[in-house]
Amino acid sequence: MNQVASARDIRRRIRGVRNMQQITKAMKMVAASKLRKAQEKVIAARPYARQLQEVLARLAQDQADVTHPLLMERPVQRVGYIIITSDRGLCGGYNTNLIRMTNSSIAEETHDVRLVAVGRKGRDFYRRGKIETIAEFVGLGDNPSYGQAKEIAQEVIGLYESGELDEVYLLYNEFVSAISQRPTRIKLLPIEKPKQVSNTEYIFEPSAEEILTTLLPKYVETQIFRTLLEGKASEMGAKMTAMGAATDNAKEAIERLTLQLNRARQAAITTEISEIVGGASALE
């Protein structure tokens, strides 16, 4: 009787694991589809962000006497970390690795730290800690828009210009491949001038100073938008990898449970044969 119950329990577990396998397989396919779109956006955004940075570097080099709040360096008392995590889980070590890097940076920081949380996972994690979160942005969806990046940038620029933050860093996962995401930290504010001097001459219309004043906020917006895209592509890659591993694990579990079921059946048949032989022997 116990063997029958055991076989019944194993069949129930096999059905449960198989149902879970179907879910993880579907989630892997969805993540793969979203990854392709996110990867295309990242590849398209990188050259623009890089070129804009080069133009600003050249402008800042020519206009060394130009004063702008986003270029001004001042004694550092409070440092802002913009940490870009996901809104949902089931994406492997995507959030864990980024939070671990953030914690290491905070531990090494000699100044007060303030957080700008982008994504629920980062917000919820640091909500329980001692680090103050001065702004949060959640529910950005699977297709971050430039308008969302602009909203974040305006908030951060306001905090910097008001003196609430003296330095600002972006912490995000850089997309390397579908199976590789690199936790990265870059300095956003103040915008640093180039260390190398270029010999190329440019003619600007209108004046270089006016262009610089217009492009500096645009540069901050573009950098944040690029990191949002990097983070989303990394999230989908991590989710596809995690769901693929979960699907493979479910397959192995089904094979292991099937083997156990076959053994239970064999044990039940052996027991029945033994009982029949025993009964026949008793009649002789």
Side-chain angles (χ1 to χ4, degrees), residues 157-196:
I157 289 173
L159 292 169
Y160 182 78
E161 291 181 341
S162 67
E164 180 69 20
L165 300 175
D166 301 310
E167 281 185 348
V168 180
Y169 291 88
L170 274 167
L171 296 94
Y172 64 101
N173 277 301
E174 181 183 4
F175 178 76
V176 180
S177 67
I179 59 174
S180 178
Q181 302 83 37
R182 183 187 302 120
T184 304
R185 164 181 154 164
I186 61 173
K187 187 175 183 180
L188 182 65
L189 293 172
I191 299 173
E192 296 180 332
K193 295 183 180 180
K195 297 180 181 179
Q196 296 181 349

Side-chain angles (χ1 to χ4, degrees), residues 103-122:
N103 289 340
S104 298
S105 298
I106 292 173
E108 296 172 359
E109 186 62 65
T110 57
H111 308 96
D112 291 339
V113 176
R114 302 288 187 270
L115 290 180
V116 175
V118 180
R120 286 191 176 89
K121 290 298 181 179

Side-chain angles (χ1 to χ4, degrees), residues 120-148:
R120 286 191 176 89
K121 290 298 181 179
R123 180 201 65 179
D124 294 346
F125 180 86
Y126 287 104
R127 179 177 284 176
R128 302 187 297 268
K130 298 180 181 179
I131 307 300
E132 181 182 355
T133 301
I134 56 178
E136 60 181 54
F137 300 87
V138 298
L140 300 186
D142 293 332
N143 297 295
S145 66
Y146 188 86
Q148 292 170 327

